[in-house]
Amino acid sequence: RLASHYHYWKRTYNPMDAGRLHRRVVEERWSLERFCLGPELQNTYSKFLWGCSLESFNFIGITEYYSEDVESFSQLFLGTTPPQVAAENVNEYRKRSDEQRFERYIDAGAFRSRVELHHGDDVALYRKALDLRSRRQQTTERDDAGVIV
């Protein structure tokens, strides 16, 4: 997610409406390593939640499973079939795997380990969100028509 943020900022930079940090990243030509390992964005998502536990939410979707999670959300909370999912704000230059899921932005083992250590709270948050998603899937049953019961 962090690397995606970096590439998005570089791809969409407009000095007329960019925030201070966005301007610094682009104008000072930060490397991905500088962006990921600097103090400015360390554990951003954990800080954003202000200590609110993920269990406080009725639903948490995961970007890598966007289409599937939109479908689950629609059925669970709206009682409808999901809307058509449009792919927006996607980096068109990224390679896709055979499964049509995006490959990792950060694949180099040593660098990835340093990023995961630096953002330990966010990594734990992400893993917890994946666990909650998995539990949601296990406890949700479908009838023969595919309706969640």
Side-chain angles (χ1 to χ4, degrees):
R1 177 69 208 117
L2 187 64
S4 177
H5 192 149
Y6 170 80
H7 291 291
Y8 173 75
W9 270 9
K10 290 186 70 164
R11 196 173 61 249
T12 63
Y13 181 63
N14 178 349
M16 300 304 288
D17 62 13
R20 188 178 75 221
L21 183 57
H22 188 175
R23 280 194 304 273
R24 281 188 63 205
V25 168
V26 175
E27 293 175 7
E28 294 175 14
R29 296 183 177 162
W30 286 13
S31 66
L32 177 59
E33 183 174 359
R34 166 64 179 95
F35 183 85
C36 291
L37 298 176
E40 296 85 355
L41 294 163
Q42 186 175 18
N43 294 310
T44 296
Y45 299 101
S46 297
K47 290 174 185 171
F48 179 80
L49 290 174
W50 293 12
C52 183
S53 77
L54 295 183
E55 290 85 1
S56 300
F57 295 92
N58 289 328
F59 186 91
I60 296 173
I62 305 292
T63 302
E64 295 93 317
Y65 303 99
Y66 184 78
S67 296
E68 297 146 38
D69 285 355
V70 167
E71 179 181 346
S72 293
F73 181 88
S74 296
Q75 290 176 344
L76 284 168
F77 296 100
L78 305 176
T80 65
T81 57
Q84 185 174 8
V85 177
E88 293 187 25
N89 193 20
V90 175
N91 183 349
E92 61 197 55
Y93 301 108
R94 286 196 57 205
K95 294 180 183 175
R96 295 184 80 127
S97 70
D98 293 338
E99 297 177 335
Q100 291 300 305
R101 294 206 189 280
F102 286 112
E103 295 175 358
R104 293 177 171 172
Y105 270 117
I106 303 173
D107 238 359
F111 177 47
R112 185 175 184 84
S113 294
R114 289 175 55 211
V115 169
E116 288 178 357
L117 183 63
H118 187 70
H119 296 275
D121 291 348
D122 279 357
V123 170
L125 184 73
Y126 175 70
R127 288 182 178 147
K128 179 69 173 179
L130 286 174
D131 181 57
L132 290 171
R133 180 183 187 275
S134 177
R135 282 195 250 160
R136 180 185 77 231
Q137 287 182 303
Q138 291 171 4
T139 59
T140 303
E141 296 180 24
R142 297 173 188 268
D143 67 14
D144 292 337
V147 176
I148 296 176
V149 291

